[in-house]
Amino acid sequence: MATFLYKLGRLAFRRRHFVALIWVALLTLAGVGAASAPPAGNSSFSIPGTEAQKAFDLLEQRFPGASADGATARVVFKAPSGEKMTDAGNKATVEKTVDELSDGSEVASVADPYTGNAVSKDGTIAYASVKYDVSGMELEESTKDALEDAAQQARDAGLTVEVGGDALQAVPETGATEVIGIAVAAVVLVITFGSLVAAGLPLLTALIGVGIGVSSITALASALELGSTTSILAMMIGLAVGIDYALFIVSRYRAELAEGREREEAAGRAVGTAGSAVVFAGLTVVIALVGLAVVNIPMLTKMGIAAAGTVAIAVLIALTMIPALLGYAGRRVKPAGAKGRRLGRSRKSEPKPDAPKPDQPAGQPKANLGTRWASFVVRRPLAVLLLGVIGLGAAAVPATSLELGLPDDGSQPTSTTQRRAYDLLSEGFGPGFNGPLMVVVDAKGSDAPKDAFSDVAGKIEGLDGVVAVTPPAPNKGGDTATITVIPDSKPSSVQTEDLVHAIRDAGGDIEAKTGAETLVTGSTAMNIDVSEKLNDALVPYLVLVVGLAFLLLIVVFRSILVPLKAALGFLLSVMAALGAVVAVFQWGWLSGLMGVEETGPVMSMMPIFMVGVVFGLAMDYEVFLVTRMREAYVHGEKPNQAVVTGFKHGARVVTAAAVIMMAVFAGFIGSSESMVKMIGFGLAIAVFFDAFVVRMAIVPAVLALLGKKAWWLPKWLDRALPNVDVEGEGLRTGDERGSGPDEDRELVRA
């Protein structure tokens, strides 16, 4: 592989005009496609194989025209202090609002509070339910404006009016912090390279890659039913890996220049060596993201595949456009150790090697921080290992209290009308009113459907935790009925989850007695089923992703213990990151700093999503750092010295890459969408734990303890595995191959 990528790098360097033209054309094509594509339609949220989805599909069949997937709105009214909603003036205002809402072209129905028993017992709060023919994402702006105007007119009449439901659902915004994250990345790159030109290359290529990826997603959003969160996720991951991959190759290019090679040769070798690490690092990310398909939630599958496509683009751009841009930059990209006059001392002004420190061998340049740190770790490996493991273990403790759920209006900021409507409904009708359960009774196989409907309603009324049960509402055929159940607990509570299971258990007894099947659905039941499905899929997903990546890393490192150590280190970092997420978003630690206005259960898909994404990103640093160690060991260095050499060449770059990735992810904490905010924080803290604790401390400590055993591979497996030559052995000249102790080379061959 190194030889192929070496040739590709040299070709891109020589044919830079052609390469640049191709990528600019692709960016233009994707941009035109995004601009001319129809707006994204309904991003349906389905969970095949669950009871809630089965009931939803049954409603579509038995209640045609009911718009089961249509948007809903609850316009909540509260009377002024000392008044009632039943007062003549307030009642007239509400009825006028209901009439105005009924005139909308996309409105299916509007329920009058006074005829639908939607006034609180104390008479101070009432609500009107609005049902639309299309989903919230498909509603026209004029329809949303009409809803807001009607509410404002009622406010002008003296009532407190708020609007809940998904009719006013807005595309999430990421906020200015995303730009700050990119600015931080730019500063880190300038410090790392000491050159504005070299620093600009990774940023430019990452932005081009993200532009192509996100524009392609936008262009296909309507056809593939991709939600707005999909493009945000692709942007988040694409920016992070795009900058990092380009950083790895530019850094290696400068190192090759420092060894005296010509620029085209240096570009070829940089792509052949660091590019090999980029390919395999990218493959682990793609495997992790595409593997989300095993969960069998279409929305999650689409998100994973779209983000994986953006990562693949980032890899291709790093391998082709970076060497092309290096050709354009020419001498403006300095060798490692040399800086532009405006940004630091030139190479000529560096301390001369013939003035060593007392603890420094004569004639040797001063060791960099990575070398000094690695030397310390290999001298005290056990202490560093224990300290790192204990620290991550302590950070993971909150994860033992993990509660999972999906966000509802109760998790919205208090500044939103959806959240204020949620609170008013809780005040007037109880917390469970915000998460009613819809029970669907399929009596097609029953001899007495009406009796079955009554039996189900009576059985549910007798369950604990039920506030109200509406009379069964049968369809025209009389074989199916819906029953609305109001719990006495809020939608995201454990008590509501227990009630859903209790209704389903009771339905099993009724089916055996009457032949009528009882199904529970609604947004609350759907959320519960999603959480359970994600929990059940976590272990199979972990086995699949880690197993495939483990096999991939065996090929890369030609070792059994190094990939095993990488996987175990990842588990430590992801558990510590989950602990941090629980501490902030569930317990409320530092919630004000993170802009978390309402604590509650952690998003259901967070654990499995973090497992996938963090594993892929963690392997980036593992591959880049450890391949330099493997390269040094294969070329004849002792195991501990190879660890130090790997840090000498890779620690600075990995540190910069981690800081950049953390800055990019942290930039999404400013998003208005709670899901994006939580993902941004979780990935940022996970990169911190993995890069600075696992890869920078635990990895060198374990390798130092294992010594030569770390690179052990059974001979039969060594013969069976393909030789991908990540170390670039095929690129070395005869003189380069001849350097190094013979006994060590013989040991490697054995």
Side-chain angles (χ1 to χ4, degrees):
M1 173 176 284
T3 303
F4 169 76
L5 293 178
Y6 165 78
K7 294 177 180 178
L8 178 64
R10 294 195 64 169
L11 179 64
F13 188 94
R14 289 196 307 271
R15 300 285 186 260
R16 46 187 172 272
H17 302 308
F18 181 68
V19 172
L21 182 62
I22 288 178
W23 285 112
V24 170
L26 289 174
L27 178 61
T28 303
L29 183 63
V32 171
S36 59
N42 178 26
S43 56
S44 57
F45 185 80
S46 62
I47 40 175
T50 61
E51 181 173 312
Q53 186 64 45
K54 182 179 178 181
F56 186 84
D57 295 339
L58 184 65
L59 286 173
E60 292 280 349
Q61 297 172 9
R62 305 286 175 84
F63 292 82
S67 301
D69 61 343
T72 59
R74 277 179 171 176
V75 184
V76 188
F77 307 89
K78 183 176 182 180
S81 178
E83 298 182 16
K84 302 283 188 182
M85 288 305 305
T86 52
D87 294 346
N90 294 334
K91 185 175 181 179
T93 300
V94 172
E95 290 177 341
K96 180 181 178 182
T97 303
V98 170
D99 290 340
E100 291 178 355
L101 291 173
S102 301
D103 292 337
S105 59
E106 295 180 310
V107 175
S109 63
V110 181
D112 189 311
Y114 302 102
T115 59
N117 194 26
V119 181
S120 63
K121 290 181 180 180
D122 62 4
T124 61
I125 297 175
Y127 70 91
S129 296
V130 186
K131 183 73 174 176
Y132 294 91
D133 293 322
V134 296
S135 68
M137 296 302 292
E138 292 176 306
L139 281 178
E140 295 181 359
E141 287 301 319
S142 59
T143 301
K144 296 181 180 181
D145 292 341
L147 176 60
E148 293 177 327
D149 291 343
Q152 186 58 49
Q153 290 179 20
R155 291 190 191 101
D156 295 339
L159 298 178
T160 298
V161 185
E162 304 296 346
V163 182
D166 61 352
L168 295 182
Q169 180 180 358
V171 176
E173 299 176 355
T174 53
T177 50
E178 176 192 344
V179 179
I180 295 175
I182 296 176
V184 171
V187 172
V188 173
L189 287 169
V190 171
I191 294 174
T192 302
F193 291 139
S195 165
L196 290 175
V197 175
L201 296 183
L203 280 176
L204 176 61
T205 54
L207 290 174
I208 291 174
V210 167
I212 294 173
V214 173
S215 296
S216 300
I217 291 171
T218 304
L220 298 172
S222 178
L224 301 181
E225 297 184 349
L226 302 177
S228 57
T229 307
T230 303
S231 60
I232 293 178
L233 173 65
M235 182 189 301
M236 184 190 302
I237 297 178
L239 271 177
V241 301
I243 294 174
D244 279 8
Y245 294 164
L247 169 64
F248 294 159
I249 293 178
V250 173
S251 175
R252 186 60 183 256
Y253 171 76
R254 296 176 71 236
E256 297 292 338
L257 288 180
E259 294 183 9
R261 293 188 174 89
E262 294 296 327
R263 294 188 177 275
E264 183 179 329
E265 176 69 12
R269 289 199 173 218
V271 176
T273 52
S276 298
V278 165
V279 168
F280 283 99
L283 276 175
T284 59
V285 180
V286 169
I287 288 172
L289 291 170
V290 174
L292 290 170
V294 304
V295 183
N296 196 25
I297 295 180
M299 184 191 76
L300 199 58
T301 300
K302 293 173 184 177
M303 288 173 63
I305 293 175
T310 307
V311 172
I313 293 172
V315 172
L316 292 174
I317 282 186
L319 298 178
T320 57
M321 195 167 186
I322 281 293
L325 293 179
L326 289 172
Y328 283 119
R331 297 185 179 278
R332 287 186 290 273
V333 176
K334 307 292 183 182
K339 299 183 179 181
R341 293 179 179 179
R342 295 182 181 179
L343 296 173
R345 296 172 299 181
S346 67
R347 195 178 183 113
K348 295 179 181 179
S349 64
E350 293 293 327
K352 295 182 180 180
D354 57 352
K357 299 290 184 183
D359 58 345
Q360 179 184 339
Q364 293 294 322
K366 181 181 177 180
N368 61 22
L369 182 59
T371 302
R372 296 198 298 273
W373 168 250
S375 299
F376 169 78
V377 173
V378 297
R379 288 197 305 269
R380 302 283 189 275
L382 187 59
V384 172
L385 176 62
L386 291 176
L387 185 62
V389 171
I390 292 172
L392 290 178
V397 169
T400 58
S401 302
L402 178 66
E403 295 179 8
L404 298 176
L406 286 178
D408 54 22
D409 284 348
S411 62
Q412 296 267 12
T414 53
S415 59
T416 62
T417 186
Q418 292 94 332
R419 171 60 187 279
R420 292 195 292 265
Y422 179 97
D423 292 339
L424 284 177
L425 287 172
S426 297
E427 177 187 342
F429 301 92
F433 201 80
N434 283 291
L437 306 174
M438 179 177 286
V439 178
V440 181
V441 185
D442 181 7
K444 199 167 188 177
S446 175
D447 296 331
K450 291 184 179 179
D451 293 338
F453 300 155
S454 300
D455 287 347
V456 173
K459 188 74 172 179
I460 294 174
E461 283 181 345
L463 296 176
D464 294 334
V466 175
V467 172
V469 178
T470 63
N475 63 345
K476 291 182 179 179
D479 58 2
T480 308
T482 60
I483 301 171
T484 301
V485 180
I486 307 298
D488 65 359
S489 52
K490 63 181 182 179
S492 58
S493 67
V494 176
Q495 292 82 356
T496 301
E497 182 177 349
D498 292 340
L499 176 60
V500 169
H501 291 304
I503 294 174
R504 288 171 173 172
D505 292 341
D509 298 335
I510 294 173
E511 184 176 7
K513 177 183 176 182
T514 66
E517 185 179 11
T518 302
L519 306 170
V520 185
T521 189
S523 60
T524 301
M526 190 81 79
N527 290 351
I528 291 171
D529 287 350
V530 169
S531 297
E532 293 180 352
K533 190 175 183 69
L534 288 167
N535 285 338
D536 294 341
L538 182 57
V539 173
Y541 174 71
L542 192 62
V543 171
L544 172 69
V545 171
V546 176
L548 288 175
F550 180 77
L551 296 175
L552 186 65
L553 292 178
I554 288 178
V555 174
V556 174
F557 296 128
R558 308 195 75 79
S559 164
I560 297 293
L561 296 180
V562 170
L564 180 62
K565 172 264 306 169
L568 294 177
F570 149 74
L571 291 176
L572 276 174
S573 59
V574 79
M575 288 303 298
L578 274 177
V581 169
V582 170
V584 173
F585 291 88
Q586 187 175 311
W587 292 359
W589 293 5
L590 302 177
S591 57
L593 181 63
M594 298 297 166
V596 181
E597 295 189 22
E598 185 71 22
T599 59
V602 173
M603 184 180 59
S604 298
M605 64 181 66
M606 194 66 188
I608 198 165
F609 187 80
M610 283 189 65
V611 165
V613 178
V614 175
F615 182 79
L617 299 179
M619 294 306 104
D620 283 0
Y621 306 120
E622 178 76 16
V623 170
F624 188 77
L625 193 61
V626 180
T627 48
R628 293 305 295 259
M629 300 177 189
R630 168 77 182 173
E631 183 178 343
Y633 180 72
V634 167
H635 295 159
E637 292 187 6
K638 299 291 185 181
N640 281 8
Q641 183 57 41
V643 171
V644 175
T645 300
F647 267 76
K648 174 184 176 182
H649 295 294
R652 180 182 177 89
V653 179
V654 169
T655 300
V659 172
I660 289 169
M661 195 171 281
M662 288 168 56
V664 172
F665 288 147
F668 289 84
I669 296 176
S671 173
S672 61
E673 175 68 37
S674 59
M675 172 176 161
V676 175
K677 181 188 294 287
M678 189 179 294
I679 290 175
F681 171 80
L683 294 183
I685 197 70
V687 169
F688 171 78
F689 286 142
D690 196 88
F692 293 105
V693 181
V694 175
R695 309 303 153 191
M696 290 290 186
I698 293 178
V699 165
V702 171
L703 291 177
L705 289 171
L706 291 175
K708 295 179 181 179
K709 296 177 183 177
W711 308 108
W712 172 80
L713 186 69
K715 291 183 178 180
W716 63 269
L717 184 57
D718 187 29
R719 290 191 296 268
L721 292 177
N723 183 14
V724 295
D725 189 20
V726 177
E727 302 86 11
E729 180 66 21
L731 307 181
R732 294 167 66 84
T733 63
D735 292 340
E736 289 173 322
R737 290 193 184 97
S739 62
D742 292 339
E743 55 183 349
D744 285 336
R745 287 197 300 274
E746 289 299 322
L747 177 63
V748 172
R749 294 192 189 101

